[in-house]
Amino acid sequence: MAEETPTITVPFPLKDRVAIVTGGSRGIGQAIAVHLASLGAKLVINYSSSNSDQADQVVSQINSISPSSAVAVKADVSDPDQVKHLFDTAESSFTGSLLHILVNSAGILDAKYPTLFNTSLDDFDRTFAVNCRGSFLCCKEAANRIKKGGGGRIICVTTSLVAGLKPGMGAYTGSKAAVEAMVSILAKELKGTGITANCVAPGPIATELFFAGKSEEMIERMVSECPLDRLGEPKDVAPLVGFLASDVGEWVNGQVIRVNGGYV
């Protein structure tokens, strides 16, 4: 029997591929952006109006290692015109490099953790506007503009709460469950393009978004529910996204991958 040809590791598997990371100025999005840059990608760091300084810091961090490899773009992902501007900028910012990757990491969470019957309509609408509508708009734009024929990737960051179904998270979990359903269908609709679509669903990750509004008791309870006895960190999520974004991740398509240390 013939021996298999050894796999040759490519040092920069995403070299000259442009990646948009929404919510890339902090938390999981920031870790993903920096990791993709380490794989050779050109980065478009999307941020909301309140995170300008953080976005500039991420861009400076990336460009200090690989000059002219990152730009920051302010855009509300729930606004179709601003999403179009985000993609226009991605297409025009890096001469000779094509848009290959969308990582949709932008998201909000109601830090009051209300029951569903105590959730205000305004808070519900705001949660779905960013988490669900924003994902829809970004996926729609990406499906029409990402390079076809191989290497195209759409990756949405959702949540393991869709499997855990914890109280106080009704609107947030519902908004992410909708994204998981849409992305799974999108993968089938992209047949023939060479573009894959997947969701990465973290469990409790030690970020600003996670800690907002939580008591020490809540945090300790979540840690105790994880077999690894700790919160996750953004660096636990970023390499999985890097795998899915690269050519070696091509055979993973239409999936929801829960990365949570066994939390659910």
Side-chain angles (χ1 to χ4, degrees), residues 180-196:
E180 292 186 359
M182 285 193 295
V183 170
S184 295
I185 293 170
L186 177 62
K188 296 179 173 64
E189 294 174 338
L190 287 169
K191 180 179 179 179
T193 66
I195 300 171
T196 65

Side-chain angles (χ1 to χ4, degrees), residues 83-261:
V83 171
K84 183 179 183 299
H85 168 68
L86 172 63
F87 278 77
D88 287 344
T89 304
E91 290 180 337
S92 63
S93 291
F94 305 104
T95 303
S97 298
L98 299 176
L99 177 60
H100 278 76
I101 302 159
L102 165 71
V103 180
N104 192 60
S105 184
I108 61 171
L109 172 68
D110 186 348
K112 300 186 293 295
Y113 305 107
T115 58
L116 196 64
F117 47 85
N118 284 318
T119 300
S120 72
L121 184 57
D122 284 345
D123 286 340
F124 178 89
D125 286 344
R126 182 167 173 263
T127 299
F128 267 76
V130 175
N131 296 355
C132 186
R133 177 184 166 98
S135 294
F136 163 73
L137 290 173
C138 288
C139 286
K140 180 178 180 179
E141 204 73 26
N144 285 305
R145 299 174 71 159
I146 280 178
K147 180 186 177 296
K148 296 176 174 62
R153 304 287 183 262
I154 295 173
I155 302 163
C156 286
V157 178
T158 57
T159 175
S160 286
L161 287 169
V162 175
L165 301 175
K166 302 294 184 180
M169 302 280 192
Y172 176 77
T173 303
S175 69
K176 295 291 191 174
V179 174
E180 292 186 359
M182 285 193 295
V183 170
S184 295
I185 293 170
L186 177 62
K188 296 179 173 64
E189 294 174 338
L190 287 169
K191 180 179 179 179
T193 66
I195 300 171
T196 65
N198 293 286
C199 292
V200 170
I205 304 292
T207 63
E208 181 182 338
L209 182 70
F210 170 79
F211 287 118
K214 288 187 176 70
S215 65
E216 284 297 322
E217 181 183 359
M218 290 173 67
I219 295 168
E220 289 173 5
R221 184 172 68 250
M222 291 176 136
V223 170
S224 71
E225 291 173 349
C226 178
L228 297 182
D229 289 321
R230 69 173 177 89
L231 294 175
E233 298 179 35
K235 67 180 182 181
D236 294 319
V237 180
L240 175 58
V241 175
F243 168 78
L244 293 173
S246 67
D247 289 344
V248 295
E250 182 178 43
W251 199 239
V252 182
N253 192 21
Q255 304 303 307
V256 177
I257 304 174
R258 311 222 179 273
V259 50
N260 55 44

